[in-house]
Amino acid sequence: MKTWHELVDLVITGGYEAVAIGFIHAYANDAHEVKLAQALREAAPDLSVSISSVVSPQMRELPRFNTVIANAYVQPQVADYLGRLVTRLRETGITAQVFMLHSGGGLMSVETAAEQPVRLLESGPAGGAIFAAELARGHDLDKVLSFDMGGTTAKICLIEDGQPKTANSFEVARTYRFKKGSGMTVSTPVVEMVEIGAGGGSIASIDAMGRIQVGPRSAGSEPGPACYRRGGENPTVTDANLMLGRLDPENFAGGAIPLDPALSEAAVATKLADFNANDAAFGITEMVDENMANAARVHTVENGRDIEHFTMVGFGGGAPLHACRLCEKLGITALLIPPGAGVGSAIGFLKAPFSYEATRGFFQRLSQFDPEAINQTLAELESEAQSFVAQGSEGQETEIRLTAFMRYAGQGWEIPVPLPHGTFTAEDAPLFRDRFEAAYRTLFGRIIEGLEAEITNWSLVVQTRLPAPRPVPAAPEQSDAPVGRTRRIYDAAKRDFVDAAEIDRTALRPGMSADGPAVITERETTTIVTSAYRACAQCDGSLLLIRKGATT
């Protein structure tokens, strides 16, 4: 075994740019990690050093080591990029503070982001979840399924009581069609969502069994779908939607990107030659929709929820094209397409609170409940989180959320258990047990009598308090939406082309409605209203799609 001095010499002579330090029990005692980090920094002040007890101080060494390695791998590049970004902003006269959105759905300082870039891994999708949560609060919806579909992926997230569901770990670099368990587990706070490789640029192909498959390979923006006229030769979801009449070739992206249907048809005919062209295009979109529906079903079942009780919120450039069909498959009655849907994640960045989630591994069985040790741990977590939030909150009112991760003794994994923030006493042990059993029953439908319960990890979130959203009033009595023209589109439920009313979204006023099949166009995206739904413009500019015959 090498001594610390030998390790330091090995790093210096090896010319390494970054080092990840992970000791097996550092979540409980970080003294040795800190000493080694100090020795490295003294010997090489410019060396990037990441230690697991700072980046991810939680139980389970494999996810913790994965996390600190990932942080060390990207830290020099991210720190350099953010440093140049801030410098360029200052040179152009922008002196405002720079903040970054982290994977947990809040803002943090650029200095924290440079030190812990692993917290940025899922920041883009997290912005979309914040956007959907803001919409849910304004419409007084307590159960929302957000559906974000862009060019390469589709993301689905549960939002309850105005808050996106969060987790303390997620997977990156999945190798098998984004399948759970095929990637590297990273333990850092994140908005929990299911993600599949299905977007506008996802490439369709024929597998070994002669079936149409879509993704995870993507044509990207260069060369992009075949219809972009930039040399793309593979059929994509965008090509299929164009062939099915769901996109206007002359008015895509407000006319900025004219599309060529002939190129789409040629790509489909060449790569999917075993199928009739229109059947192949329908197969592409149906495969994408079914994959997303399956992912949404699994995600809600894993969280002990009934998906039919949720309202879907669709955003991103691709979601409005597919959301209504997705609702048909899932049995969802109501769908909201918000204004600015094509840039929903960017809007979510502007809605995010300033927040920090402090985590700590601290094992304790309820039979050995030690309130003093718990209170000391929580005080340290709160001090850590408050110090980070203070960098950008500027005296704003904050709120605290506390979560214990608990399990039955002998189980291999734990579940999140929300707890009231405060000082605990010996009399609070039954509270922990009651909250754990309530959460366990919600997920699994039953509890296990006679087994000991135990706590493994803690999470404490401090965030600035979000302002109450302006309630969206009910739309007035309905009137017919102005129809510009009719368009032939393929209706998946009817398995045929139908005449659909084409409506300019900018011409809609609150209360205007249209029965499907209909196509509602705007610069950033297009909303497809299938024959089973009716669309009504809301007072905040949203489109509410309701299943015909349903009461809501």
Side-chain angles (χ1 to χ4, degrees):
M1 180 180 295
K2 295 183 181 294
T3 66
W4 286 4
H5 296 296
E6 291 173 330
L7 284 174
V8 171
D9 291 340
L10 179 65
V11 170
I12 301 303
T13 57
Y16 297 102
E17 296 180 16
V19 175
I21 302 174
F23 291 166
I24 194 165
H25 295 302
Y27 72 91
N29 187 336
D30 65 352
H32 290 167
E33 282 194 348
V34 171
K35 287 183 178 179
L36 179 55
Q38 290 175 342
L40 286 167
R41 286 166 178 152
E42 289 173 1
D46 295 331
L47 183 68
S48 171
V49 180
S50 299
I51 62 177
S52 73
S53 53
V54 169
V55 175
S56 178
Q58 302 180 58
M59 287 180 61
R60 292 194 175 89
E61 60 272 15
L62 180 58
R64 181 159 50 88
F65 292 171
N66 283 345
T67 307
V68 72
I69 290 169
N71 194 82
Y73 181 72
V74 300
Q75 200 274 335
Q77 292 83 2
V78 173
D80 178 68
Y81 169 77
L82 293 178
R84 288 186 285 111
L85 172 65
V86 172
T87 299
R88 291 289 298 276
L89 289 173
R90 298 292 182 265
E91 290 174 351
T92 59
I94 299 174
T95 59
Q97 285 184 277
V98 179
F99 300 121
M100 307 293 293
L101 190 78
H102 57 70
S103 303
L107 299 174
M108 63 181 179
S109 69
V110 70
E111 292 79 14
T112 303
E115 180 183 352
Q116 300 184 40
V118 72
R119 287 180 176 252
L120 303 176
L121 281 173
E122 288 289 293
S123 59
I130 295 297
F131 175 62
E134 173 80 6
L135 191 77
R137 289 192 295 271
H139 284 263
D140 195 25
L141 299 172
D142 59 355
K143 293 182 183 296
V144 160
L145 182 74
S146 78
F147 169 40
D148 177 6
M149 182 177 179
T152 57
T153 57
K155 283 79 64 177
I156 292 169
C157 177
L158 296 180
I159 297 170
E160 295 184 283
D161 300 322
Q163 291 289 341
K165 182 173 175 56
T166 58
N168 67 343
S169 66
F170 67 106
E171 289 182 19
V172 299
R174 287 179 175 170
T175 58
Y176 181 68
R177 284 190 60 83
F178 297 84
K179 183 178 181 180
K180 187 175 182 179
S182 66
M184 184 176 78
T185 301
V186 174
S187 56
T188 190
V190 64
V191 171
E192 185 176 14
M193 58 186 70
V194 60
E195 180 175 310
I196 66 172
S202 296
I203 295 173
S205 60
I206 301 295
D207 67 11
M209 298 179 66
R211 303 172 301 179
I212 293 176
Q213 297 294 323
V214 182
R217 290 192 307 125
S218 174
S221 59
E222 293 291 343
C227 60
Y228 276 19
R229 307 179 183 182
R230 294 175 179 171
E233 298 179 350
N234 292 304
T236 66
V237 176
T238 296
D239 292 305
N241 280 321
L242 179 62
M243 292 175 61
L244 298 177
R246 297 168 183 171
L247 296 174
D248 184 349
E250 304 300 327
N251 196 35
F252 185 74
I257 306 176
L259 305 181
D260 190 338
L263 292 177
S264 295
E265 294 173 8
V268 169
T270 301
K271 302 293 184 178
L272 309 178
D274 294 343
F275 297 88
N276 169 275
N278 285 334
D279 290 343
F282 169 63
I284 292 170
T285 59
E286 194 72 355
M287 181 61 70
V288 166
D289 294 341
E290 191 59 39
N291 286 342
M292 290 186 292
N294 284 334
R297 293 186 192 104
V298 170
H299 189 51
T300 50
V301 168
E302 285 179 342
N303 287 279
R305 304 294 189 268
D306 185 349
I307 198 168
E308 294 182 0
H309 296 158
F310 282 72
T311 297
M312 181 178 289
V313 173
F315 57 95
L321 286 162
H322 294 263
C324 203
R325 177 58 175 162
L326 196 56
C327 287
E328 287 182 348
K329 289 177 173 289
L330 295 172
I332 291 177
T333 299
L335 162 68
L336 272 174
I337 306 295
V343 290
S345 293
I347 296 174
F349 279 41
L350 303 177
K351 303 286 186 179
F354 202 95
S355 71
Y356 188 86
E357 182 170 355
T359 58
R360 181 77 58 84
F362 179 59
F363 180 84
Q364 191 167 113
R365 290 191 170 178
L366 293 189
S367 60
Q368 302 168 344
F369 189 74
D370 185 349
E372 291 186 5
I374 290 175
N375 290 334
Q376 180 180 348
T377 298
L378 297 184
E380 293 171 358
L381 291 178
E382 183 174 349
S383 176
E384 176 187 345
Q386 291 281 16
S387 67
F388 280 101
V389 172
Q391 297 174 22
S393 62
E394 297 181 349
Q396 297 179 59
E397 186 179 359
T398 60
E399 57 187 15
I400 297 175
R401 298 197 310 272
L402 175 64
T403 303
F405 291 85
M406 302 180 65
R407 66 188 182 190
Y408 285 113
Q411 290 185 327
W413 208 253
E414 54 276 340
I415 64 173
V417 179
L419 292 168
H421 173 252
T423 301
F424 296 108
T425 66
E427 287 71 33
D428 288 319
L431 169 67
F432 279 68
R433 180 80 190 196
D434 291 344
R435 292 290 182 95
F436 169 64
E437 290 183 344
Y440 199 91
R441 184 178 284 108
T442 296
L443 281 175
F444 304 110
R446 60 185 291 268
I447 60 173
I448 304 176
E449 300 286 355
L451 279 186
E452 173 73 280
E454 56 193 23
I455 307 167
T456 59
N457 293 311
W458 295 85
S459 163
L460 187 143
V461 179
V462 175
Q463 71 173 42
T464 53
R465 190 179 297 277
L466 292 169
R470 182 179 300 175
V472 179
E477 293 186 6
Q478 296 182 350
S479 59
D480 291 337
V483 177
R485 60 173 181 168
T486 60
R487 186 199 297 183
R488 295 285 286 175
I489 69 168
Y490 194 91
D491 190 289
K494 293 186 174 183
R495 300 294 196 274
D496 199 1
F497 281 90
V498 296
D499 289 324
E502 183 176 303
I503 301 164
D504 184 351
R505 186 166 181 175
T506 60
L508 291 175
R509 299 294 178 266
M512 289 183 175
S513 62
D515 282 334
V519 180
I520 302 175
T521 62
E522 57 186 298
R523 181 176 176 83
E524 293 88 5
T525 186
T526 298
T527 301
I528 299 298
V529 185
T530 65
S531 57
Y533 283 75
R534 178 179 179 83
C536 180
Q538 302 299 292
C539 293
D540 66 339
S542 296
L543 294 174
L544 176 62
L545 279 61
I546 298 290
R547 185 184 293 272
K548 293 176 182 177
T551 57
T552 106

